[in-house]
């Protein structure tokens, strides 16, 4: 009876939280009058909202649960992934944030089309990005289920409930709802995990107390002395994590969509810089939480065998079911803040890069708005069904994240930096980078680390793009892009 009462309390708190997110979505619907409102929040986001939604896009299941998992495995050195997320946004602010807002487009593939005047390049880039986004939404569905399972609740129904709510509020109000809920979720998600970690450190007697407790445990993933070593993952893992994460951040539709939605170019830049610094600072918190969970757990073997449950486990151990449920909601907030960002990004590809570009460029804005809502619901439901019924499909789609990065990074970045780039070179580079990534994913080419797929694909893409561009006629970008780049006389 006591266990049942505890589960009821946890469910009650989580349902209240999810209902609040839905209410915010309903409230935000008052701002939706056009497709621009739905996909880009009317391009009216101020600094706080833009920075919050950029940070929330990265601050998800990978940042929190993955960071906690790395804390169990590597100790303090587990902060590198979160740090890489922040570094990517910082570099985005220093490089392409101003340019992307100045162009006033909707998607990254549209920028490629402005640069190379090629529908084929736009279409291929959008397809790779769309597949990756759907796959990562599916991964967030899994992450939500893992949180529920970690606290002894049915993961299936938890996934369905959380996913249904973020689909609903995103479909109701698009990026406006996503932005407003992201602000709430980044505050709750980061604040909740930070508070839980701080209390855990206090109970354990600080870092020294945690190390003392770890020294008494057997079968640790690494020697206890390595838990305070920032380089514990090893130079190769650290370097590849930094490169791979920064590469995707510099070209990801989910990040650029927030920059497109900023009120001004200055806000876009400042928001990217602010969110980047914020994530770099708090990147130490999830691995600390993972270490504390391992040190304080009554069942450390469970944490070692399933490190992704470390933070939910810590929360319940430290606070019990009632307060713990609030912090579990904070972890769900982090997961949902990433999932809703991905969902709006995927919708933008369908609407702008496929329907508007190739099918009906004369469609009325009213029709496009209605289609955006329907598309959002369809993508969300598709990702949910695939994640829960055909895991292999979602795993395959997640690999598209690697393919997209390997194929699109060089054509976009080099194209914006090098006047001599040609559409033939960009297309050849995109195709070659994509092929290398596919060969690596399928195991035809073996890499010592997974991240080598990104780097190797991008390197081949770079070589091929430069070689082909040098033997073909330079592509003059659209006048709007040339003006923004400063390439016009």
């Amino acid at each position: 009876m006591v266990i049942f009462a505890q589960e009821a309390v946890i469910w009650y708190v989580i349902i209240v939280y999810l209902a609040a997110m839905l209410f915010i979505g309903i409230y935000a619907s008052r701002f939706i009058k056009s497709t621009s409102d739905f996909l880009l929040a009317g391009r009216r986001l101020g600094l706080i909202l833009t920075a919050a939604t950029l940070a929330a896009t990265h601050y998800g299941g990978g940042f929190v649960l993955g960071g906690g998992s790395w804390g169990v495995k590597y100790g303090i050195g587990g902060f590198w992934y979160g740090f890489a997320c922040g570094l990517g946004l910082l570099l985005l602010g220093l490089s392409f944030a101003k340019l992307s807002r100045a162009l006033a487009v909707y998607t990254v593939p549209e920028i490629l089309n402005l640069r190379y005047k090629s529908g084929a390049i736009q279409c291929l880039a959008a397809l790779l990005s769309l597949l990756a986004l759907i796959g990562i939404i599916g991964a967030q569905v899994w992450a939500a289920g893992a949180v529920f399972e970690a606290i002894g609740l049915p993961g299936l129904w938890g996934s369905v409930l959380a996913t249904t709510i973020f689909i609903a509020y995103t479909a109701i109000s698009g990026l406006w709802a996503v932005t407003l809920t992201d602000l709430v979720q980044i505050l709750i998600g980061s604040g909740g995990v930070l508070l839980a970690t701080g209390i855990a450190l206090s109970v354990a007697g600080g870092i020294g107390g945690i190390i003392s407790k770890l020294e008494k445990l057997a079968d640790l993933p690494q020697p206890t002395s390595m838990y305070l070593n920032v380089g514990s993952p090893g130079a190769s893992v650290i370097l590849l994590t930094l490169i791979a994460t920064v590469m995707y951040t510099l070209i990801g539709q989910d990040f650029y969509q927030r920059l497109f939605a900023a009120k001004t170019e200055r806000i876009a830049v400042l928001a990217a810089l602010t969110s980047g610094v914020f994530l770099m600072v708090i990147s130490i918190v999830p691995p600390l939480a993972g270490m504390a969970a391992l040190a304080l757990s009554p069942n450390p073997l469970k944490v070692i065998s399933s490190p992704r449950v470390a933070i939910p486990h810590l929360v319940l151990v430290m606070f019990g079911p009632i307060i713990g449920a609030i912090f579990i909601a904070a972890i769900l907030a982090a997961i949902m803040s990433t999932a809703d960002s991905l969902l709006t990004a995927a919708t933008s590809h369908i609407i702008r890069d496929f329907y508007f570009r190739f099918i009906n460029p004369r469609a009325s804005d009213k029709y496009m708005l209605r289609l955006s809502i329907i598309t959002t619901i369809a993508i969300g439901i598709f990702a949910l069904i695939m994640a829960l019924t055909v895991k292999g499909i979602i795993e395959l789609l997640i690999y598209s994240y690697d393919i997209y990065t390997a194929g699109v990074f060089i054509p976009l970045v080099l194209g914006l930096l090098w006047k001599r780039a040609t559409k033939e070179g960009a297309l050849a580079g995109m195709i070659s980078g994509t092929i290398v990534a596919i060969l690596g994913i399928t195991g035809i080419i073996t890499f010592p680390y997974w991240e080598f797929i990104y780097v190797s694909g991008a390197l081949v893409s770079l070589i091929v793009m430069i070689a082909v561009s040098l033997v073909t006629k330079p592509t003059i970008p659209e006048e709007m892009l040339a003006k923004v780049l400063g390439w016009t006389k």
Side-chain angles (χ1 to χ4, degrees), residues 231-277:
S232 56
S236 296
V237 172
I238 292 171
L239 182 61
L240 289 170
T241 297
L242 288 170
I243 293 174
T245 306
V246 168
M247 282 175 64
Y248 178 75
T249 305
L250 289 177
I251 64 171
Q253 169 65 21
D254 37 346
F255 303 106
Y256 276 79
Q257 189 166 5
R258 276 95 191 121
L259 299 176
F260 298 148
K263 189 180 298 184
T264 65
E265 297 167 25
R266 181 172 181 272
I267 287 176
V269 172
L270 290 177
L273 297 177
T274 302
S275 59
V277 171

Side-chain angles (χ1 to χ4, degrees), residues 409-477:
F409 181 79
I410 293 300
L412 177 64
V413 174
L414 188 60
L416 295 177
L417 299 176
W418 189 36
K419 290 184 179 182
R420 188 65 180 76
T422 71
K423 67 178 180 181
E424 293 84 3
L427 185 58
M430 187 179 296
I431 292 173
S432 60
T434 298
I435 291 174
V436 171
I438 292 174
L439 293 176
I441 289 168
T442 56
I444 296 175
I445 298 178
T446 303
F447 294 99
Y449 294 102
W450 184 262
E451 291 82 2
F452 266 123
I453 295 176
Y454 292 29
V455 179
S456 300
L459 181 60
V460 170
S461 176
L462 174 64
I463 295 171
V464 171
M465 180 174 171
I466 291 177
V468 175
S469 292
L470 290 176
V471 297
T472 52
K473 184 178 180 181
T475 301
I476 300 174

